[in-house]
Amino acid sequence: MNDHNPVVSIQGVTKVFNEGGADRVLAISDVELEVYPGEFLTLIGPSGCGKSTLLRLIGDLIAPTSGGVHINGKRSKQARIDRDYGMVFQDATLYDWRTVNKNVQLPLEVMGYSRDEREKRTVKMLRLVQLEEFANHYPWQLSGGMQQRVAIARALAFEPAILLMDEPFGALDEMTRERMQLELLNIWGQTSTTVLFVTHSIPEAVFLSSRVVVMSARPGRIRTIIDIDLPRPRGFKTREDPHFFDSLTEVRECLRAGESGKSQVEGYK
Ligand code: ADP
Ligand code: MG
């Protein structure tokens, strides 16, 4: 693919919930964004600023009130039908009565892959997330971090061009979370997937991303896009790099600036 063609292109997108009702919410307003092949792009902003809304618009789980969303040059609906993206949410949403193996295979079954192809891909993905030995376990036999890895394997199994991740590590403890971030970067390095990631953790955003999109409080707008030029591969040393702290400060100040004139109570720590 030509590097100059965006994989995701969002033009003037506004989303209003409950239009016409007393509970009308202008969730995001006039968002413009282009995401390029192989990027790791993170959306960050205060709670309720429209991060999930933006990701759901890209994934065609909801429709924009106005504006356009294009994926690989196609309308988002077509991209969903073509399975251009996989999704991972905060809650791993695995089926408890299916083994790990069968959970990863589910979207492949739906898509009509042959048994052989399903087996081949599942083995490959479980190897990638280092869960080969757990193929015949059930989700409830695994830790939260392992379940989240199964969800990532499932989302990657059909080799989507784009991976949409909405606070996938939000429910994990700090140590597991840092390990998962490393594993995700490993996987991203081994595939040509473009990742769109949502978090409200500043260190997580900086550690993972090539670019961080800072959103302002409601209605969500893009305030600034910050390039994170830390060398790759990133690892434990990255978090000790003075440039890492510079980037943390840059993102934090940008988030704070977005709140001046708004509520001083909901400040970013
Ligand atoms: P974030 O993910 O940044 O925390 P969301 O995208 O979930 O924020 O929500 C943005 C705003 O839109 C919030 O005020 C939220 O209450 C509202 N919202 C989100 N989804 C719906 C919905 N289905 N119906 C009504 N309001 C919604
Ligand atoms: Mg959200």
Side-chain angles (χ1 to χ4, degrees):
M1 187 185 287
N2 182 336
D3 271 358
H4 299 290
N5 289 330
V7 272
V8 177
S9 173
I10 299 168
Q11 304 111 6
V13 165
T14 293
K15 177 66 187 178
V16 178
F17 288 107
N18 308 326
E19 183 68 288
D23 50 356
R24 177 185 188 275
V25 180
L26 174 58
I28 60 168
S29 172
D30 223 7
V31 170
E32 304 267 342
L33 179 66
E34 293 200 324
V35 187
Y36 294 95
E39 275 203 277
F40 198 119
L41 186 123
T42 294
L43 306 171
I44 191 167
S47 178
C49 78
K51 302 179 295 294
S52 296
T53 299
L54 192 52
L55 215 66
R56 291 166 69 210
L57 284 163
I58 296 168
D60 192 45
L61 297 174
I62 52 174
T65 305
S66 59
V69 179
H70 288 87
I71 316 288
N72 291 327
K74 299 176 275 198
R75 286 181 180 281
S76 51
K77 182 171 182 206
Q78 189 60 45
R80 177 165 56 78
I81 293 166
D82 294 348
R83 297 269 181 169
D84 283 10
Y85 36 75
M87 297 192 203
V88 183
F89 301 100
Q90 179 166 348
D91 173 4
T93 61
L94 302 174
Y95 294 104
D96 259 350
W97 63 90
R98 286 188 152 229
T99 60
V100 163
N101 193 30
K102 292 283 181 204
N103 265 284
V104 174
Q105 290 201 19
L106 187 60
L108 302 173
E109 282 174 32
V110 173
M111 290 165 82
Y113 281 87
S114 70
R115 175 183 286 267
D116 265 9
E117 186 63 24
R118 292 200 313 257
E119 291 286 345
K120 215 171 76 191
R121 287 186 181 226
T122 304
V123 167
K124 183 176 158 195
M125 288 309 148
L126 288 179
R127 191 174 302 144
L128 205 58
V129 298
Q130 298 178 359
L131 284 176
E132 294 154 283
E133 304 118 82
F134 295 90
N136 295 317
H137 283 60
Y138 288 89
W140 46 269
Q141 296 175 305
L142 308 179
S143 70
M146 290 158 92
Q147 290 181 15
Q148 213 41 305
R149 272 147 63 196
V150 176
I152 294 171
R154 181 179 57 186
L156 286 168
F158 54 92
E159 298 177 357
I162 309 165
L163 193 55
L164 304 175
M165 308 184 85
D166 195 350
E167 304 199 33
F169 308 144
L172 306 178
D173 65 82
E174 196 62 23
M175 294 302 290
T176 309
R177 189 168 180 155
E178 290 193 358
R179 227 171 3 84
M180 292 294 295
Q181 291 166 0
L182 263 181
E183 278 175 23
L184 178 60
L185 285 186
N186 270 333
I187 293 167
W188 174 69
Q190 289 175 54
T191 58
S192 53
T193 307
T194 305
V195 180
L196 260 93
F197 193 94
V198 166
T199 184
H200 55 242
S201 157
I202 301 170
E204 182 164 83
V206 169
F207 181 73
L208 293 172
S209 313
S210 346
R211 291 197 294 158
V212 174
V213 175
V214 180
M215 294 177 68
S216 62
R218 220 174 64 209
R221 289 195 170 91
I222 292 179
R223 280 195 63 74
T224 317
I225 301 182
I226 298 173
D227 286 316
I228 310 292
D229 291 327
L230 294 164
R232 292 191 191 272
R234 294 180 189 169
F236 291 109
K237 286 260 174 280
T238 305
R239 297 182 210 276
E240 294 159 12
D241 186 331
H243 297 300
F244 180 71
F245 293 101
D246 293 345
S247 295
L248 290 184
T249 305
E250 196 180 350
V251 174
R252 186 176 291 115
E253 284 181 353
C254 191
L255 282 163
R256 283 226 173 100
E259 286 175 347
S260 57
K262 298 224 174 227
S263 161
Q264 299 291 316
V265 185
E266 267 191 314
Y268 248 85
K269 300 296 180 295

